[in-house]
Amino acid sequence: MHFHFTPTRASWLNQVEIWFSILQGKSLHGASFTSVKQLRKHIDAFIDSYNQNAKPFVWTKAEVHQRPFKGRRIRHL
C-alpha cells in the first residue's frame, strides 16, 4: 500500500487540472480531429509517450506563520 499525501489546501482535482493543462498544451493545442475514436487514439499515444519519462510532481508549500488567536469577548447580560 502506498500513501499519497495531498498538499495543504489542494484537492485531488487541482492536481488533475495540472495534468489536463499539460495534455492540452503539449498535445491538443491546435490539433483537429474528425472523430472521437481519433481523439482517443491521439490522447492514448500522448499518454504512452509522456509516461516513458514521467516524473512525480513536486509540491512545495511556503512557510506558514500562525497569527495569535484573538478570542472574542463574550458579554454577559
Side-chain angles (χ1 to χ4, degrees):
M1 179 182 289
H2 295 279
F3 289 98
H4 298 276
F5 295 97
T6 304
T8 305
R9 294 189 178 194
S11 69
W12 65 271
L13 188 56
N14 297 116
Q15 297 174 41
V16 171
E17 287 176 357
I18 291 172
W19 162 247
F20 280 115
S21 176
I22 291 169
L23 174 65
Q24 193 277 333
K26 293 187 175 189
S27 181
L28 299 176
H29 182 75
S32 178
F33 306 97
T34 57
S35 68
V36 173
K37 185 177 179 179
Q38 185 185 30
L39 170 63
R40 290 190 63 164
K41 188 175 179 178
H42 180 86
I43 291 172
D44 288 341
F46 174 77
I47 291 170
D48 289 341
S49 173
Y50 184 87
N51 283 340
Q52 289 178 10
N53 297 311
K55 294 183 173 124
F57 294 119
V58 177
W59 298 99
T60 61
K61 178 182 174 185
E63 187 176 341
V64 176
H65 300 283
Q66 189 171 358
R67 293 186 287 181
F69 177 73
K70 295 181 181 178
R72 288 186 174 177
R73 289 184 177 173
I74 299 174
R75 288 198 301 185
H76 297 284
L77 299 175

